């Protein structure tokens, strides 16, 4: 799939989501300039997305941009189509680690990762070589790859960098003008968190994906490529972390959802000091969980060593 087609489909999905949540049937669509900000695309991509709305009979025509009906699931493009090869590879690796409880030392091959991601082994190898510079995976001497453990100093350094970026993101939100597109995304995230909070006892496994949306939203406010690249590692370590005790997972996720909501609601109330305090609480909690998990892992490893 070409890059322009991907941009068009991604913009179309964002436009559909915006219409579903913010435009009533019978109302006119906002201006192209406003939609290009909402949908993270160029004017050309937005015009293509509007033309797509006309073909789906969501609007009467490209000229008559009045909403005729609300979007339905069949109007959206498949999310899998919108990911680049590297994004698919990273997502598959994270899901393997999170869902299969792969511990430090677990091994995997380029071929199996390529098969699950629908990518070439060359693409997988390039991604893994780049990702390995962070010390979370390593190449085996005779082929294949291995997940690596990390120590408290690594976790502490990561947490310190994360605090710097995310506190700056909260402050950046406080400086946004009224009507900025970020407010619509903020409202959507609040609704998503409230829905999950109501069913957290049975759907706690859905939290990591929402957790990533929450933090990606904040980091995106900084408009900083270095912050975004750094957050790929944060996501891997904190949100798909393979050293956490799964027995405590439900309780952690239940508490974290409420921490997120405290931050989001404070931002919605334009109370930046309250949002900063809530973010500090959330990051401290996350750091403590990380360090406790490493201590637990080291104690278990030592116990097994003593037994032998």
């Amino acid at each position: 799939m070409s890059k322009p087609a991907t941009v068009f489909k991604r913009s179309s999905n964002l436009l559909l989501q915006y219409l579903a949540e913010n435009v009533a049937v019978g109302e006119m669509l906002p201006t192209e300039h406003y939609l290009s900000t909402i949908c993270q695309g160029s004017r050309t991509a937005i015009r293509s997305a509007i033309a797509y709305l006309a073909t789906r009979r969501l609007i009467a025509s490209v000229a008559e941009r009045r909403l005729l009906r609300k979007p339905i699931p069949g109007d959206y493009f498949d999310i899998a189509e919108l990911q680049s090869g590297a994004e698919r590879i990273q997502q598959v690796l994270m899901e393997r680690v999170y869902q299969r409880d792969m511990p430090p030392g677990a091994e995997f091959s380029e071929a199996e990762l390529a098969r699950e991601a629908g990518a070439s082994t060359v693409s997988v190898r390039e991604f893994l070589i780049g990702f390995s510079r962070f010390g979370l995976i390593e190449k085996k001497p005779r082929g294949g790859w291995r997940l690596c453990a990390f120590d408290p100093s690594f976790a502490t350094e990561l947490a310190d960098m994360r605090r710097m970026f995310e506190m700056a993101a909260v402050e950046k939100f406080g400086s946004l003008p009224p009507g900025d597109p970020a407010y619509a995304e903020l409202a959507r995230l609040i609704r998503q968190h409230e829905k999950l909070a109501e069913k957290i006892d049975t759907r706690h496994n859905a939290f990591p994906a929402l957790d990533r949306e929450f933090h990606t939203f904040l980091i995106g406010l900084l408009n900083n490529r270095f912050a975004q690249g750094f957050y790929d590692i944060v996501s891997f370590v904190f949100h798909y972390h393979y050293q956490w005790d799964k027995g405590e997972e439900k309780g952690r996720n239940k508490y974290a959802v409420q921490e997120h909501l405290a931050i989001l609601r404070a931002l919605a109330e334009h109370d930046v000091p309250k949002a900063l305090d809530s973010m500090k609480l959330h990051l401290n909690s996350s750091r403590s969980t990380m360090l406790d998990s490493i201590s637990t892992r080291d104690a278990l490893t030592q116990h097994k060593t003593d037994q032998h």
Side-chain angles (χ1 to χ4, degrees), residues 123-144:
S123 296
V124 168
R125 187 175 305 118
E126 289 177 351
F127 168 79
L128 294 176
I129 289 172
F131 197 73
S132 66
R133 73 184 187 276
F134 299 106
L136 299 174
I137 60 174
E138 64 181 4
K139 189 100 168 61
K140 293 169 55 185
R142 298 184 179 180

Side-chain angles (χ1 to χ4, degrees), residues 237-249:
V237 173
F238 282 91
H239 312 320
Y240 293 83
H241 185 38
Y242 47 83
Q243 296 172 26
W244 278 351
D245 176 9
K246 293 292 183 178
E248 301 296 326
E249 183 179 17

Side-chain angles (χ1 to χ4, degrees), residues 30-90:
T31 64
E32 287 181 5
H33 174 73
Y34 182 74
L35 291 177
S36 66
T37 304
I38 291 284
C39 303
Q40 303 169 19
S42 65
R43 290 286 188 92
T44 300
I46 295 305
R47 288 176 188 136
S48 296
I50 290 172
Y52 173 69
L53 297 183
T55 64
R56 300 290 299 184
R57 298 298 298 167
L58 281 123
I59 58 176
S61 67
V62 173
E64 178 57 37
R65 300 179 180 182
R66 193 180 303 279
L67 190 65
L68 300 178
R69 64 174 177 83
K70 285 286 190 176
I72 59 175
D75 294 322
Y76 293 82
F77 290 100
D78 185 354
I79 292 298
E81 296 181 39
L82 308 183
Q83 292 181 306
S84 67
E87 288 173 332
R88 288 199 306 274
I89 294 165
Q90 179 172 312

